[in-house]
Amino acid sequence: MPANLSPEYKAAEAAYRKAREPRERLDLLREMLRTIPKHKGTERLQADIKARIKELSDEIDISRRRGGHGGPALVIRPEGAAQIALIGPPNSGKSLLHARMTGSGAHDAPYPFTTQVPQPGMMPYEDIYFQLVDLPAVTSEHPTPWLQGALQSADAALLMIDITEPTCVEQLDDVHSTLRTRRVALSDRWEARSTAPDDSIDDGDPFAVRLPTLLLANKIDVVTDIDAELQALRELSGLRYPTLAVSATTGYGLGKLGAELFSRLRIVRVYTKTPGHASEKSHPFTLRSGETVRDVARLVHKDLSRSLRYARVWGHAGFDGQHVGPEHVLVDRDVIELHA
Ligand SMILES: Nc1nc2c(ncn2[C@@H]2O[C@H](COP(=O)(O)OP(=O)(O)OP(=O)(O)O)[C@@H](O)[C@H]2O)c(=O)[nH]1
Ligand SMILES: [Mg+2]
């Protein structure tokens, strides 16, 4: 991390790291370029920012043009409680899983490189949705230039492998090294995303992507001794990702996927109500653990987060309509009434 970065620049960079919407990210990149102190020590970072601005505006442009002509987009706008990227070697079953969990009709086929563009779909879990994004295979044989851009908005990854594939460990190595060249790191740690402005994770590289990852050992329907197979995979690969044994064909293990994502991402559902009315019980806002009344207000409307005075909360933590301030931390299933 270059020395002497101004507080203004650091704030822009922190906002960029937090932002998920492609257009908002582009604005924040421009803000970073505007505020970065222009001296020798920041030349590399300035060049990186310029390159990223170019890349992202191209991506947005291509998406717009393809979208405009009925074609698919390369940058997927996040929707639902979290955006989850489906990644893995060719032919591992990503598209079949996607089709099964989202009803997307994603095309699967018994040969590699079937999927060429990202395909979003919504996977229901209780009263919320996760957005699953099906992606082309990750492999050094057939690199996808826009992959890093597509992964920048993801909250987590499902790393899907075909456990019956004899070269599965080599495939995993290849996935990791291919991602590394794109500055994408998969992580077995799911701790909360940091929002501290001067937190220098990723060695100060604002463009590195770090995705908490759940390994899906797929095609388990073909395996006789599941435990032995998973154990062998762990020993041979040395990987420590949390793992689910699944079958995209039979559905085995997939009933656990939603709950797994919900708890690992520490999703918090909050229901809003207007004074004198029952709460809107079917459409929660989704937050992450640690977020506050003000964060809900921001989701309802940008202006509301500024004019917010207090909220009343009903919930499981013993709250029964108590008044709380904007910085009050909410828990899952809280019902709140916002007062501006
Ligand atoms: N037996 C079995 N076959 C599966 C399972 N999941 C997927 N398949 C088959 O594996 C093949 C590849 O599935 P896809 O979903 O196209 O795989 P993909 O990972 O999307 O492949 P690419 O898009 O080419 O990277 C298809 O013939 C699927 O029917 C599974 O759980 N069990
Ligand atoms: Mg596919």
Side-chain angles (χ1 to χ4, degrees), residues 38-333:
K38 311 289 187 298
H39 58 70
K40 195 116 192 97
T42 64
E43 269 171 10
R44 234 204 90 190
L45 191 50
Q46 288 184 51
D48 267 3
I49 296 169
K50 283 182 194 156
R52 196 64 204 127
I53 289 176
K54 166 101 178 56
E55 252 172 71
L56 188 56
S57 39
D58 287 353
E59 278 157 19
I60 290 174
D61 224 43
I62 291 168
S63 291
R64 192 193 300 120
R65 267 186 279 128
R66 299 177 83 136
H69 291 87
L74 297 181
V75 176
I76 306 292
R77 194 180 183 286
E79 283 174 39
Q83 186 181 69
I84 315 291
L86 264 169
I87 56 186
N91 219 33
S92 61
K94 302 177 291 298
S95 296
L96 189 60
L97 176 112
H98 191 267
R100 188 176 186 112
M101 301 309 278
T102 71
S104 65
H107 186 57
D108 73 290
Y111 44 81
F113 308 119
T114 306
T115 308
Q116 296 292 339
V117 293
Q119 160 113 35
M122 301 308 278
M123 171 179 114
Y125 170 69
E126 295 191 344
D127 54 357
I128 61 170
Y129 287 89
F130 291 104
Q131 183 183 49
L132 291 193
V133 183
D134 188 20
L135 291 163
V138 177
T139 148
S140 51
E141 256 175 73
H142 192 120
T144 306
W146 47 265
L147 187 67
Q148 194 217 23
L151 291 177
Q152 290 240 322
S153 55
D155 296 287
L158 296 175
L159 173 54
M160 193 150 186
I161 55 158
D162 173 353
I163 192 133
T164 68
E165 166 58 51
T167 64
C168 156
V169 171
E170 289 79 9
Q171 286 185 326
L172 276 167
D173 282 346
D174 187 54
V175 167
H176 286 108
S177 59
T178 304
L179 289 175
R180 210 172 302 124
T181 63
R182 310 290 300 165
R183 293 196 271 178
V184 176
L186 303 183
S187 170
D188 49 21
R189 288 162 49 208
W190 284 69
E191 71 274 10
R193 221 193 292 141
S194 170
T195 52
D198 57 357
D199 188 34
S200 48
I201 43 164
D202 315 320
D203 299 324
D205 177 357
F207 306 114
V209 176
R210 178 195 154 278
L211 294 173
T213 298
L214 178 66
L215 184 73
L216 297 182
N218 190 37
K219 307 198 185 180
I220 213 75
D221 54 293
V222 189
V223 169
T224 40
D225 188 343
I226 295 177
D227 288 337
E229 200 70 36
L230 292 179
Q231 181 63 25
L233 175 72
R234 255 192 298 275
E235 278 166 17
L236 293 173
S237 71
L239 298 173
R240 291 289 169 270
Y241 300 117
T243 302
L244 274 185
V246 301
S247 166
T249 300
T250 67
Y252 177 94
L254 291 175
K256 295 182 196 148
L257 184 56
E260 193 74 28
L261 292 172
F262 184 85
S263 70
R264 288 191 181 277
L265 288 166
R266 298 179 182 81
I267 306 283
V268 168
R269 287 165 296 185
V270 174
Y271 305 83
T272 53
K273 71 187 278 304
T274 36
H277 289 79
S279 76
E280 183 52 79
K281 256 303 180 195
S282 51
H283 298 292
F285 288 95
T286 53
L287 312 171
R288 298 298 192 81
S289 167
E291 293 195 300
T292 63
V293 168
R294 193 186 298 286
D295 293 312
V296 180
R298 195 174 296 121
L299 293 174
V300 176
H301 197 280
K302 231 183 197 152
D303 299 336
L304 185 56
S305 84
R306 274 188 293 258
S307 59
L308 181 71
R309 285 188 301 135
Y310 70 94
R312 294 181 67 195
V313 178
W314 292 259
H316 295 263
F319 284 85
D320 192 21
Q322 268 96 329
H323 287 215
V324 296
E327 309 314 325
H328 176 79
V329 174
L330 295 160
V331 299
D332 190 38
R333 292 169 192 265

